[in-house]
Amino acid sequence: MGKFEGIQYIKDQCFMDLPELSSFAQDLSGKTIIVIGANIGLGLATAKHFASLKPSRLILGCRSKEKGDAAVKEIQQGIDSSETTVENWEIDLEKNKMISDFADRFEREANGQLDILIMNAGLNTICHTSTESGWEKSIQVNHLGTALLTLLLLPYMKNAPYSPPTPRIVVVGSETHYFVTFKKQARKPNIIEALNEETSSGAMSERYYYTKLLNLFFARSLAARLPSPSAENRNPVVTVVNPGWCKTELMRDQQTTLKGRVIRVFSLFMCRTAEEGGRVILWAALSHLDNELHGRYSTSFRIEEESDYSLTPQGREAEKRTWDETISILEKVDPRVKTIVQEQLTNPSS
């Protein structure tokens, strides 16, 4: 069963000889790729890897225009700009209007085809902050915003040609999904609302873990409603990848806490570089294991079983409930969500 194996994790982080990009890279000529959260750290490293494979268009989804523009310049220095267009599109997953506007812009300015979507934006904070939509910030950014943009861009992925690599949605997850369950929240009428109501410092110390479990549940639910990709249905592969513990700014809000200090010490000898983590993400995006990856979780260049809880009847029921709750929330944000769910997705029981 899917238990977190500490010894294997240490082996992966400290001793694994990670495959080079060249061992699984593909020519991305003519492809359109979006990397969300691409202006720094893991997202920037991932975007650089993609740029080296010569896609026609590489769109960086960045919260900061200034940092996004700087990332574009940095990437352009290492590629032939006549082969790949690199663009910075401003987006903040904290703000629903910016998410809808991003999708509108893609409809206007792109060619209607999206080949690879990397949902990398993430927030790990111990401070409780509510967004303008009333959701705690990390629930909004890591889960609701991620789900909204993914659904709004889904129709364009069905326009992409069924050629290697198969159109792919890659949600960046984490091994931390093994550490929590929704057993307590499931006693309430709405799981996501119950999680949102937990505002104590203790609750916030695990909030990132819960959002990573929500990421897993969303990706599996979406994949279940998109039958296995084929040339006939042109469905994208939907998968969750754990890039491993990488040296980035994800934990910057916890630097002054005891937990943050301990993590900082261990990071000195356990962290991967952002470049290495980017390679793990690229593997999930480019691997030929289409059906094997669809609706699954991978880490360190291999597919692994998800947490025990997520595979139990209680976990499956929580997954169904959080999908229904998520769609109900997002339909009120952007009416296109209801249409996309009705027209693009199937009933998983059918």
Side-chain angles (χ1 to χ4, degrees):
M1 294 291 284
K3 291 183 172 62
F4 179 72
E5 299 289 348
I7 293 176
Q8 184 61 55
Y9 180 74
I10 293 172
K11 288 180 179 178
D12 288 345
Q13 288 289 137
C14 301
F15 305 110
M16 184 178 182
D17 187 12
L18 301 182
E20 294 297 328
L21 180 61
S22 59
S23 67
F24 56 87
Q26 299 185 42
D27 181 5
L28 297 179
S29 299
K31 305 289 187 182
T32 297
I33 298 167
I34 294 177
V35 180
I36 301 298
N39 62 277
I40 197 171
L42 194 57
L44 177 57
T46 299
K48 285 181 177 179
H49 284 316
F50 275 123
S52 71
L53 303 179
K54 305 177 182 179
S56 174
R57 194 170 193 179
L58 177 59
I59 298 172
L60 313 184
C62 303
R63 186 175 61 176
S64 164
K65 184 179 186 307
E66 180 181 357
K67 291 182 179 179
D69 289 343
V72 168
K73 291 180 181 178
E74 186 174 340
I75 292 171
Q76 287 175 330
Q77 290 173 359
I79 64 171
D80 184 344
S81 58
S82 66
E83 296 177 322
T84 299
T85 300
V86 185
E87 307 168 48
N88 171 32
W89 288 21
E90 193 172 0
I91 184 171
D92 186 347
L93 296 186
E94 182 182 340
K95 300 176 180 177
N96 290 324
K97 186 176 186 307
M98 289 191 73
I99 299 171
S100 296
D101 289 347
F102 187 99
D104 290 341
R105 182 177 177 182
F106 191 85
E107 182 177 16
R108 291 193 310 269
E109 300 182 17
N111 60 2
Q113 168 188 322
L114 177 57
D115 299 273
I116 299 175
L117 172 64
I118 308 294
M119 294 303 306
N120 167 68
L123 177 68
N124 187 349
T125 179
I126 58 172
C127 301
H128 184 279
T129 306
S130 292
T131 64
E132 59 189 27
S133 57
W135 296 102
E136 186 273 318
K137 195 171 181 178
S138 55
I139 294 175
Q140 169 64 35
V141 172
N142 297 3
H143 173 57
L144 294 173
T146 291
L148 177 59
L149 184 60
T150 300
L151 290 169
L152 292 180
L153 294 177
L154 176 63
Y156 307 107
M157 305 206 77
K158 289 202 169 190
N159 293 336
Y162 189 78
S163 61
T166 308
R168 202 154 300 187
I169 297 170
V170 179
V171 178
V172 176
S174 169
E175 74 280 350
T176 59
H177 87 271
Y178 287 95
F179 305 159
V180 293
T181 74
F182 284 123
K183 291 179 180 178
K184 179 178 66 173
Q185 294 83 2
R187 300 190 192 108
K188 301 291 185 65
N190 293 285
I191 293 174
I192 299 176
E193 286 185 5
L195 185 65
N196 193 58
E197 291 168 0
E198 297 172 3
T199 62
S200 69
S201 58
M204 289 304 299
S205 68
E206 294 184 330
R207 183 56 48 86
Y208 178 77
Y209 308 167
Y210 280 106
T211 63
K212 293 295 105 177
L213 183 55
L214 284 170
N215 284 161
L216 175 70
F217 280 177
F218 171 75
R220 288 200 318 196
S221 296
L222 181 59
R225 290 161 175 78
L226 290 167
S228 296
S230 68
E232 288 72 35
N233 62 38
R234 297 231 181 148
N235 287 331
V237 169
V238 184
T239 193
V240 180
V241 62
N242 170 30
W245 186 6
C246 300
K247 192 171 184 178
T248 67
E249 294 190 16
L250 180 64
M251 299 287 292
R252 58 184 175 271
D253 287 354
Q254 300 193 32
Q255 292 302 306
T256 59
T257 66
L258 177 59
K259 179 181 178 181
R261 294 189 186 100
V262 172
I263 289 173
R264 188 162 63 247
V265 171
F266 277 94
S267 70
L268 295 176
F269 56 91
M270 284 193 67
C271 271
R272 291 173 177 166
T273 65
E275 183 277 328
E276 290 171 330
R279 266 188 269 156
V280 181
I281 294 174
L282 264 286
W283 179 83
L286 302 179
S287 170
H288 289 287
L289 301 175
D290 292 354
N291 291 332
E292 293 90 337
L293 281 168
H294 192 51
R296 296 300 306 278
Y297 167 83
S298 66
T299 184
S300 296
F301 301 89
R302 64 179 182 271
I303 297 169
E304 287 217 339
E305 200 165 63
E306 305 88 342
S307 71
D308 278 353
Y309 167 72
S310 73
L311 301 172
T312 63
Q314 294 86 357
R316 293 292 187 182
E317 176 62 21
E319 179 177 324
K320 180 182 182 301
R321 287 177 60 186
T322 55
W323 168 267
D324 291 341
E325 291 171 21
T326 298
I327 299 305
S328 177
I329 292 165
L330 298 183
E331 284 177 345
K332 299 179 179 67
V333 171
D334 192 313
R336 286 174 291 186
V337 169
K338 184 175 183 178
T339 302
I340 290 167
V341 169
Q342 290 176 341
E343 296 182 356
Q344 303 283 340
L345 304 182
T346 62
N347 187 325
S349 62
S350 63

